[in-house]
């Protein structure tokens, strides 16, 4: 049913009606994330004015301490997610260890997030994003974060780009909501997103080409060039994955001689993005195994990432397996 223009909160409640036994806990959890990212978005939009308002770590013209944007985003996520009472534990790219909010003692979920991925791009006004991954509470300790990606209850990201978009899946496909700043609501703009079977874009940081492992990736990329693909690499995962979700093709951050497991984190980058891409009909692999099947061993572990349209990923795997 066409629901374009429906606001995110109504959409979340509409999805909840699919589950007669739903308690509303996941809905409230998602609404808490929505509130946090709306505030983050307002600060991201002001980032260019920090020089006037005061550099991070200094005071602004009101004499207030100006926080670095990624620290601010992390604090806002912790504040909103904790006070919602819907999360037993929070793991963040910015925190060495998970935190267990007082308000979440009876909560059903745990959440891992990257509060502001790609924040090094803020100074040059390149799109950045927030990524999150929600799992069920199982053992009531940190091991609840070490569940395979296919067990995610929900995953999503917010891309702070030419517009602010909230992209989410709870396991029934992928939907995108665009923020209408005039009313402060995310409105459904991309319903039931599906990746094209094949794209025309490859997205690798080719400056690392000599270090890539396996080196068969070099001939894979050369083949794509011969097939007429174009290169797009923004260097902000949320932006590169968002483009791949919409237009298809392949995004990758391979392992290399310097980074044996690549650069991207499993729990709050690779796994949620793999969930979304897979839900939208694409594939996501480390080159050796499906990202969603990995049993994590550490909340900050890194994995090689290849994700995108089926054609490009299957072609990649044949290059890797045939050497
Ligand atoms: P490189 C941003 O710093 C980030 O973590 C991801 O958002 C992005 O995909 C990657 O690193 C870019 O890394 O080495 O290509 O600059």
């Amino acid at each position: 049913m066409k629901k374009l223009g429906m606001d995110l909160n109504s959409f979340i409640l509409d999805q909840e009606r699919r589950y007669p036994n739903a308690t509303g806990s996941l809905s409230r959890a998602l609404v808490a994330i929505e509130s946090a990212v709306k505030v983050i978005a307002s600060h991201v939009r002001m980032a260019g004015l920090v020089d006037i308002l005061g550099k991070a770590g200094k005071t602004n013209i009101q004499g207030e301490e100006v926080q670095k944007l990624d620290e601010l985003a992390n604090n806002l996520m912790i504040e909103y997610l904790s006070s919602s009472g819907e999360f037993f534990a929070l793991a963040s790219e910015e925190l060495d260890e998970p935190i267990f909010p007082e308000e979440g003692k009876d909560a059903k979920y745990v959440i891992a997030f990257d509060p502001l991925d790609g924040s090094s791009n803020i100074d040059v006004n390149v799109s950045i994003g927030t990524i999150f991954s929600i799992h069920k509470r199982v053992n009531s300790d940190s091991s609840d974060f070490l569940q395979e990606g296919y067990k995610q209850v929900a995953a999503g990201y917010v891309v702070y780009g030419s517009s602010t978009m909230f992209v989410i899946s709870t396991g029934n496909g992928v939907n995108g909501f665009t923020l209408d700043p005039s009313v402060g609501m995310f409105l459904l703009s991309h319903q039931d997103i599906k990746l094209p079977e094949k794209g025309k874009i490859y997205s690798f940081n080719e400056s690392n080409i000599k270090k890539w492992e396996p080196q068969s990736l070099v001939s894979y990329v050369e083949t794509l060039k011969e097939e007429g693909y174009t290169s797009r690499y923004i260097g902000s995962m949320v932006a590169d994955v968002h483009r791949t979700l919409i237009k298809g093709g392949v995004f990758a951050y391979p392992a290399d001689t310097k980074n044996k497991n690549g650069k991207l984190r499993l729990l709050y980058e690779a796994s949620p993005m793999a969930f979304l891409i897979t839900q939208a009909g694409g594939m996501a692999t480390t080159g050796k195994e499906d990202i969603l099947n990995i049993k994590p061993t550490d909340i900050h572990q890194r994995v090689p990432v290849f994700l995108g349209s089926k054609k490009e990923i299957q072609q990649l795997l044949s290059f890797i397996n045939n050497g």
Side-chain angles (χ1 to χ4, degrees), residues 182-199:
S182 66
V183 292
M185 295 167 83
F186 282 104
L187 305 179
L188 184 60
S189 53
H190 297 66
Q191 186 169 5
D192 195 20
I193 301 172
K194 292 294 178 207
L195 261 87
E197 283 282 321
K198 175 191 176 304

Side-chain angles (χ1 to χ4, degrees), residues 241-308:
V241 172
H242 184 66
R243 184 204 53 248
T244 306
L245 182 70
I246 303 296
K247 292 188 176 286
V250 53
F251 165 77
Y253 205 104
D256 62 43
T257 48
K258 190 167 60 99
N259 304 296
K260 285 297 181 194
N261 292 310
K263 175 180 181 183
L264 301 178
R265 310 286 188 167
L266 174 59
L267 250 61
Y268 39 79
E269 289 178 322
S271 184
M273 292 310 201
F275 188 79
L276 292 163
I277 289 287
T278 306
Q279 280 286 316
M283 294 174 71
T285 177
T286 63
K288 292 185 179 139
E289 59 184 319
D290 187 315
I291 287 174
L292 294 180
N293 290 337
I294 299 173
K295 181 92 173 82
T297 51
D298 179 89
I299 63 171
H300 296 297
Q301 78 184 75
R302 302 171 194 267
V303 290
V305 175
F306 303 92
L307 58 80

